Amino acid sequence: MKEVKFVDVSVRDAPQSLWATRITNEMIMPYAARMDEMGFDWIDLEGGAIFDVCVRYLQEDPWERMRLMAERCSRTPLNIWTRGQSLFTFDFFPDDIVDLTIRRMAANGMHRHTFYDTLGDVRNIELAIKATKEIGLYCCAGFAYALSPVHTDEFYAGIATEVVGHGVDAFIIKDASGLLTPDRIRTLVPAIRNAIGPDMPLELHSHCRGGLAELCYLEAVPLGVDVLHTAISPMAGSDSLPPTEYFVQHLGDQGYGIKLNLDDLAEMADYFRALAERYDKPLGVHNRYDPKLYEHQIPGGMISNLHSQLADIGMSDRFEEVLVEAVQVRQDLGYPVVVSPFAQYTVTQSVINVAQGERYKTIPDEIARYAMGYYGKPVGPILPEIIEKSAEHLGIKEPITQRAGELVGPAIPRLKKERGPFKSDDDLLLAAFYQPAVLDELYAVRDAPGRRTDYPLSALTPLKQLMAEVEKRPTLKYVSVKKGDFSFELEGPASEAVAAE
């Protein structure tokens, strides 16, 4: 039988889903070289919230994380995610920034680039495909899965045909909210396999929120999925992805080729379980089937943030009302996929509607720009009232129809003039993504004298010694730091050097 390959997400999507993305180099690097030996086909390292949280909250340079990991992983290629023209944030970036970002990914040790456009507008990833192929990275592109009257198997097959026509190396089905069911797998996977042909690798990335991801994976492999995205068991379940060990065991028993070894995975599970205990982080649990998820489709991280935000504005008692409103708002907006940034936009509009007691009395700028085509072509018809108010809000008459990236002028010359000179192209790109105050905080820590980067390199270090290394590190804590005209809080052991400075 065929070989099943694995993308390990234990240091990227798993902590993003379980630990509010708060995973540091101190946690990753001591075990990186050991992970490199285990037989994963790829290790998922950065993308999405990881890049952003590294900068904003951990004060760790995400480019440096790539280099540190690449030093330790000589066998297993490293993967990084983007959202095509949006890259790591919610904004749409000009073509020169997208192109340079992809080239810097390769220069900093990444081997594979995985990406999609949230709306399924393939025009928004054409440049990413071109640059990825030119620089020699493995190119995996696909779509974000959602449920609606317009998100049919035929709709997704059309995206697959178009994407594959641009010459990608692999195609991926990304189910960020865990909405797939075994019944849908039985129709969707054959439709995609037929669209991409028999030889194109087909990957599946689904989360455990709906309680059905394990069943979906087992159903998908015989139907034509070649690559599974999974996490080591302590980092699996809940809002994360399914556990690697489960599929190594069951697919191996069914006769599929598996390179991973359960003894190695048990050791890896011990390491991450110990990390969770050391840093007081939650472990994943098995979710039960949640029928409400298939109505509102809001990712787990958004749900927890919504509770907090409603409490801040005195609307905690209206949580369920907001969820119901989100279903209607998404329909009125033409059924955007409920992933970043449209999950945030949909929920924000829903909160405004509930708070004001009237739908679309106020339309945020982001909703107006989406409705008028600034993020790409909406998949379904938008409520005429929203179109009318959005046009008035933006001062235009008709929705735009050209590729969204064409609406943003080149940024590199302007950045060099206004915020240069830069130490490197990596710093130039950080300036494209973040305001000076945010980067001042990052650089205060990154460039501090005595900051540690000498994490152990050896893959032969016994697990007990690695755990002792973790145990003797300082307890994670916050330190208030004053720098010039601003103050901020640093999280983690590295903050002590800056505080002492």
Side-chain angles (χ1 to χ4, degrees), residues 42 103 297 302 501:
W42 296 274
R103 296 179 187 281
Q297 304 184 40
M302 277 293 300
E501 183 186 354

Side-chain angles (χ1 to χ4, degrees), residues 320-336:
E320 292 295 334
E321 190 178 349
V322 170
L323 286 189
V324 171
E325 181 65 14
V327 176
Q328 183 62 52
V329 167
R330 180 171 178 255
Q331 177 180 327
D332 293 344
L333 291 175
Y335 301 104

Side-chain angles (χ1 to χ4, degrees), residues 350-401:
S350 302
V351 172
I352 292 172
N353 289 356
V354 170
Q356 294 184 336
E358 178 182 340
R359 284 196 178 119
Y360 313 117
K361 180 180 179 180
T362 300
I363 294 181
D365 182 68
E366 292 82 1
I367 292 289
R369 292 178 62 82
Y370 157 75
M372 301 307 287
Y374 282 85
Y375 297 122
K377 182 181 179 181
V379 296
I382 297 175
L383 189 71
E385 177 187 352
I386 296 177
I387 294 289
E388 181 181 342
K389 289 188 174 182
S390 297
E392 181 180 355
H393 179 84
L394 297 176
I396 61 177
K397 293 182 178 180
E398 299 289 339
I400 67 161
T401 57

Side-chain angles (χ1 to χ4, degrees), residues 144-155:
Y145 176 76
L147 294 171
S148 83
V150 298
H151 288 96
T152 63
D153 291 351
E154 293 74 21
F155 171 82

Side-chain angles (χ1 to χ4, degrees), residues 37-52:
E37 297 178 326
M38 290 189 175
F40 295 112
D41 294 280
W42 296 274
I43 293 174
D44 192 13
L45 180 65
E46 284 198 31
I50 287 283
F51 195 99
D52 197 53

